Amino acid sequence: MVGNRTDQPLQHTGRVDARAGDGPQGLEVLTAGRSEQDQRRVAGALRARGLGTGDRLVLLCPGEPAYASVVLGAARSGVVPVPLDPRLTAWERDRVLGDLDAALVVDDSAALRALLDGPPVDLAPDPLCRPMHFTSGTTGRPKGVWSGLLEPDDARDLVVEERELWGFRADDVDLVVSPIYHSAPLRFATGTLLAGGSIAVLPHFDAAAFVDAVAQVRPTTMFCVPAHLQRLQQHLDETGDEPDLSSFRLVAHAGAPCPEPVRRRAHAQFGERTVWEFYGSTEGQWTACRGDAWHERPGSVGRARPGRVVTVDDEDQLWCVVPRWGRFTYWRDEEKTAQAWRDTPDGPAFTVGDLGRVEDGWVYLDARRSDLVISGGVNVYPAEVEAALEDLPGVLEVAVFGRPDERWGQRVVAAYVGDADEETLRARALERLAPPKRPKEYLRLDALPRTATGKVRRTEL
């Protein structure tokens, strides 16, 4: 069992003045003051379009600083932001939008920025809901993670919890290097703005562009996935660059297992007390671990975050008790919601099926969900990929799994039975699946390996 204790709040190592306008070479830095004005106009624009409390605003557009302002302007007026990957194919979009009853879908940058031109209106002090992110799981059908509308006290506590854990403050500059429509980078960006800080957004991660951005805006915080650290280190080895990384006081990574050499080198580059790892999921956040604590307990993902208790059941499955503002349901899926939650003496606890252990209050993650592939920090659910391919003529059955990949951690592989050729399979994947989900390899087999009860042996594949 893990109590609700964590390490001491982070200390800021040096002041970096928040900037306004564009940085060198056009990298925009959005200040909290400018974002506050934009958020009020977003709320006015949504109201003028007829959106009210509980209505859902779908965002299907690339990341930029305005994205964070739109999310906050919506959430602080009771409208539910639904961030989706803009690379989703029409087939994937239809599977999500068909059951969402969206009040408004914004699917390009021009439409996003148009929301910043509404008449300014008053806002709640804090977001009144968590953004509804989607996850697939074993069913293959994406499910929205819905927190419900929050009471004002819970809304405030949600903001304060993130601020106290990560130390967000007014002189922070958060550099967004992961797609901002993902939950973790969006939380860091919005948390920084709510604390009075500033953000800058890279259109996509490129190691050379990252080095330039660090020199331009001198960021203090960043969320990344291990693949970003790996690509940065490879770039530095190839170019001999030695960027000044001293402006960072917080570099947090999560989303995939981090190879130990990459982790140790990141600790040396940024500082052990600067680099943090945390464990969580789309559904909720569990633990946090600073670099120096990891060296004392290698392999741990940290202690439970404040207000949480982590336990392990008889099958080594991890469960987490969360505060009221951390509870959720799966959108319009009572059965799946019931499977994810159970009552405990400490309160309602949820699981995402990961396996682990708890030793002296420290959590160790032994295995992610057996069906989950994590490629470049993106969760890929085999059932969703299989559903996209299984009705293709010439495919009798298909099973998707992950293989180790030096660059992405894992790559998606599809094994199938049938006479369809690989070109046909690749064309179907291109039509129906966003880039991270498309198999990089196809294996034609005479039969899929199965257990006595008929389940596919993915580990054997």
Side-chain angles (χ1 to χ4, degrees):
M1 179 178 294
V2 178
N4 57 357
R5 177 185 170 276
T6 187
D7 289 289
Q8 295 298 313
L10 295 165
Q11 298 299 314
H12 190 51
T13 57
R15 181 174 181 83
V16 178
D17 293 331
R19 298 167 173 80
D22 290 347
Q25 300 181 15
L27 183 63
E28 179 185 358
V29 178
L30 177 66
T31 66
R34 173 59 187 271
S35 179
E36 178 73 16
Q37 297 174 18
D38 290 343
Q39 292 169 44
R40 294 178 183 277
R41 293 186 178 278
V42 167
L46 295 176
R47 182 181 299 178
R49 287 165 170 78
L51 277 72
T53 301
D55 286 336
R56 287 161 295 286
L57 167 67
V58 173
L59 301 175
L60 266 163
C61 42
E64 57 182 281
Y67 195 107
S69 295
V70 170
V71 167
L72 287 172
R76 291 176 66 188
S77 58
V79 175
V80 183
V82 184
L84 296 176
D85 188 340
R87 300 171 298 177
L88 294 180
T89 65
W91 184 80
E92 292 171 310
R93 292 185 185 192
D94 290 345
R95 285 159 60 85
V96 172
L97 298 179
D99 191 41
L100 194 56
D101 297 334
L104 180 64
V105 177
V106 176
D107 58 5
D108 60 41
S109 294
L112 181 79
R113 294 173 190 147
L115 293 176
L116 275 60
D117 292 331
V121 299
D122 291 337
L123 296 169
D126 307 295
L128 300 176
C129 61
R130 293 159 57 190
M132 186 194 294
H133 293 275
F134 271 74
T135 181
S136 293
T138 58
T139 64
R141 187 168 187 83
K143 303 176 297 298
V145 178
W146 170 228
S147 69
L149 294 172
L150 301 173
E151 295 295 330
D153 287 347
D154 286 344
R156 182 59 180 168
D157 287 342
L158 174 59
V159 171
V160 169
E161 178 201 350
E162 286 282 294
R163 186 175 300 171
E164 290 184 346
L165 177 62
W166 302 120
F168 296 141
R169 51 193 292 170
D171 55 359
D172 270 333
V173 181
D174 181 56
L175 181 60
V176 182
V177 301
S178 295
I180 200 170
Y181 45 81
H182 288 173
S183 58
L186 184 58
R187 283 202 323 275
F188 272 66
T190 55
T192 301
L193 290 171
L194 289 170
S198 305
I199 67 169
V201 180
L202 288 181
H204 61 275
F205 184 83
D206 173 83
F210 169 80
V211 171
D212 288 343
V214 170
Q216 292 169 31
V217 304
R218 302 303 293 154
T220 62
T221 65
M222 172 180 69
F223 166 80
C224 62
V225 299
H228 293 146
L229 296 173
Q230 197 165 17
R231 288 162 63 185
L232 171 63
Q233 292 168 5
Q234 181 180 2
H235 170 77
L236 299 183
D237 288 342
E238 292 173 350
T239 62
D241 285 350
E242 295 183 3
D244 178 5
L245 304 175
S246 63
S247 63
F248 283 102
R249 66 161 187 84
L250 168 64
V251 174
H253 66 88
C258 188
E260 185 168 335
V262 174
R263 182 199 311 272
R264 290 185 180 276
R265 185 171 175 184
H267 290 176
Q269 290 172 312
F270 294 96
E272 287 182 9
R273 297 175 64 84
T274 296
V275 179
W276 285 65
E277 177 179 13
F278 64 86
Y279 165 54
S281 63
T282 304
E283 289 83 349
Q285 302 308 303
W286 297 52
T287 70
C289 185
R290 198 169 59 193
D292 53 347
W294 182 88
H295 282 275
E296 295 175 6
R297 301 166 183 84
S300 173
V301 291
R303 300 179 68 93
R305 288 174 52 144
R308 290 156 176 75
V309 180
V310 178
T311 57
V312 180
D313 64 18
D314 293 339
E315 297 180 347
D316 297 329
Q317 190 168 236
L318 292 165
W319 294 80
C320 185
V321 175
V322 293
R324 287 190 308 273
W325 58 86
R327 297 172 189 170
F328 67 90
T329 61
Y330 290 114
W331 178 252
R332 294 179 176 172
D333 195 333
E334 295 182 2
E335 181 180 355
K336 189 67 177 177
T337 300
Q339 293 172 355
W341 288 92
R342 71 174 187 179
D343 291 327
T344 75
D346 297 296
F350 79 93
T351 186
V352 292
D354 290 342
L355 304 180
R357 52 200 160 89
V358 182
E359 299 177 357
D360 297 326
W362 293 83
V363 180
Y364 294 80
L365 183 62
D366 292 331
R368 287 279 189 169
R369 286 153 282 185
S370 60
D371 66 315
L372 179 63
V373 180
I374 305 177
S375 183
V378 176
N379 288 352
V380 179
Y381 297 90
E384 186 176 2
V385 181
E386 291 162 2
L389 301 175
E390 62 189 4
D391 63 347
L392 188 67
V395 175
L396 301 179
E397 53 183 354
V398 60
V400 172
F401 59 98
R403 278 185 170 169
D405 186 276
E406 289 186 1
R407 181 174 185 183
W408 301 109
Q410 286 183 298
R411 62 182 179 275
V412 181
V413 182
Y416 70 99
V417 177
D419 58 10
D421 58 39
E422 182 174 325
E423 183 178 347
T424 302
L425 285 159
R426 289 190 179 277
R428 171 57 64 84
L430 183 66
E431 173 192 353
R432 288 188 169 182
L433 298 171
K437 305 174 190 175
R438 296 170 192 161
K440 304 298 186 290
E441 292 182 58
Y442 292 88
L443 306 175
R444 181 186 291 171
L445 303 177
D446 294 332
L448 297 179
R450 295 185 180 273
T451 66
T453 59
K455 293 182 179 180
V456 174
R457 295 182 183 272
R458 296 185 195 276
T459 53
E460 186 172 329
L461 285 171

